[in-house]
């Protein structure tokens, strides 16, 4: 909707904001909330290394247009070449994403096997009492470390049927489309008359609201000591947006006559690079704790502050 209406800046920032929200906010909250219950949580480090490599490729594809644009004395000379670079990079990213799907679900599916629960149970240490009690949860109300109560297992075993799932998916998609249409129509007045700029709306507000359900699910799973799935939700969604959604949006813009490129402003490019850099280092050891989660959340808050005070309109640099 926003692409069709010509809100290219918001489209770009919302795509980048979704990646940042998954990498920093959702992953950080999962580490933090899970770390309040368990001193350390285990996950498959091999999978996270592969995911970090894919994110590195995605960051590279966004940095190249930014550096290329900054190399010209006259920015207008770079416009046409940026389109060619962005569309070529989009096609390459889609090819890499297709190979990634084959790698994950076919040729190397065994790598993506979750860490055995008995290993997680043995390695996880009891959590800290004070943070849990501060949340109003007593030790007797908690399940054993790494375990799940039989009543909870029975409650989670119920699921809806295939027809109901498909119907619910279509209804949800229709409602999202309607909400998106109303949102896009209100963007012009919000940017012109409100105190918030396009960057803050696209980079922070839209991704946080759009990923609210995903955020809650990942945190809930991390609380249950299933970090492989929680990390899969956070980092997997970032990979999907970076390697699939973003290239598809660029190619759709090409098809409908909108000159959408992978050229992001310097602030956004540097922020994404540093976010991927920090996450890459934090997931190397295959263990997480609440301090690592607080670091990621703090990084996201600082990015939000910078986006709030980012210059608007003519005050922005061309880079």
């Amino acid at each position: 909707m926003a692409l069709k209406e010509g809100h290219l800046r918001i489209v770009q920032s919302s795509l980048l904001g979704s990646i940042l929200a998954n990498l920093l906010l959702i992953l950080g909250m999962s580490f933090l909330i899970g770390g309040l219950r368990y001193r350390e949580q285990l996950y498959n480090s091999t999978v996270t290394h592969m995911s970090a490599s894919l994110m590195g490729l995605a960051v590279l594809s966004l940095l190249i247009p930014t550096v290329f644009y900054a190399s010209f004395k006259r920015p207008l000379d770079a416009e046409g070449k940026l389109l060619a670079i962005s569309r070529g990079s989009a096609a390459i990213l889609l090819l890499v994403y297709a190979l990634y799907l084959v790698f994950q679900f076919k040729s190397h599916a065994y790598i993506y096997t979750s860490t055995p629960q008995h290993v997680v149970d043995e390695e996880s240490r009891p959590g800290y009492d004070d943070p849990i009690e501060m949340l109003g949860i007593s030790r007797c109300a908690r399940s054993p470390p790494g375990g799940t109560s039989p009543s909870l297992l029975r409650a989670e075993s119920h699921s809806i049927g295939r027809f109901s799932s498909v119907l619910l998916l279509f209804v949800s998609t229709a409602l999202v489309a309607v909400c998106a249409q109303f949102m896009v129509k209100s963007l012009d007045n919000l940017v012109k008359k409100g105190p918030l700029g396009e960057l803050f709306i696209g980079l922070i507000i839209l991704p946080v609201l759009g990923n609210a359900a995903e955020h809650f699910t990942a945190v809930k799973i991390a609380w249950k000591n299933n970090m492989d799935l929680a990390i899969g939700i956070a980092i997997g969604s970032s990979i999907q947006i970076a390697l699939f959604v973003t290239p598809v949006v660029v190619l759709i813009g090409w098809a409908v006559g909108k000159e959408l490129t992978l050229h992001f402003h310097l602030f956004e490019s540097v922020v994404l690079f540093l976010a991927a850099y920090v996450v890459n280092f934090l997931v190397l050891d295959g263990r997480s704790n609440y301090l690592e989660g607080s670091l990621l959340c703090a990084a996201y808050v600082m990015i939000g502050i910078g986006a709030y005070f980012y210059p608007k309109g003519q005050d922005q640099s061309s880079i």
Side-chain angles (χ1 to χ4, degrees), residues 28 51 53 81 99 103 109 113 127 134 169 177 188 193 195 218 232 306:
S51 300
S53 300
K81 299 179 178 63
L99 293 175
F103 183 87
T113 303
M134 289 175 61
L169 178 62
D188 288 329
K193 300 180 181 179

Side-chain angles (χ1 to χ4, degrees), residues 54-199:
L54 291 169
M55 279 306 306
L57 175 65
V59 172
L60 177 65
S61 69
L62 300 182
L63 288 180
I64 289 177
T66 302
V67 177
F68 179 83
Y69 183 83
S71 301
F72 284 79
K73 290 184 177 180
R74 293 182 300 177
L76 291 178
D77 295 339
E79 296 295 337
K81 299 179 178 63
L82 271 178
L83 283 173
I85 292 176
S86 298
R87 291 164 181 171
S89 298
I92 294 173
L93 290 177
L94 287 176
L95 177 61
V96 171
Y97 185 73
L99 293 175
Y100 165 65
L101 293 180
V102 174
F103 183 87
Q104 180 180 5
F105 295 107
K106 187 71 175 178
S107 64
H108 290 70
Y110 64 92
I111 296 178
Y112 291 84
T113 303
S114 300
T115 305
Q117 189 61 42
H118 71 276
V119 175
V120 176
D121 295 342
E122 292 173 359
E123 294 292 333
S124 296
R125 297 183 176 92
Y128 297 94
D129 296 336
D130 292 342
I132 302 302
E133 291 176 358
M134 289 175 61
L135 295 175
I137 303 175
S138 62
R139 289 181 61 87
C140 62
R142 295 166 55 193
S143 60
T148 307
S149 62
S151 59
L152 184 59
L153 288 174
R154 287 194 299 270
E156 293 180 346
S157 62
H158 298 289
S159 60
I160 60 178
R162 180 179 301 178
F163 175 78
S164 301
S165 301
V166 174
L167 179 62
L168 184 61
L169 178 62
F170 277 106
V171 172
S172 301
T173 303
L175 292 176
V176 169
V178 172
C179 293
Q181 186 174 6
F182 283 111
M183 180 201 70
V184 171
K185 290 181 179 180
S186 65
L187 285 178
D188 288 329
N189 291 331
L190 180 61
V191 172
K192 292 179 181 178
K193 300 180 181 179
L196 304 178
E198 286 184 326
L199 180 66

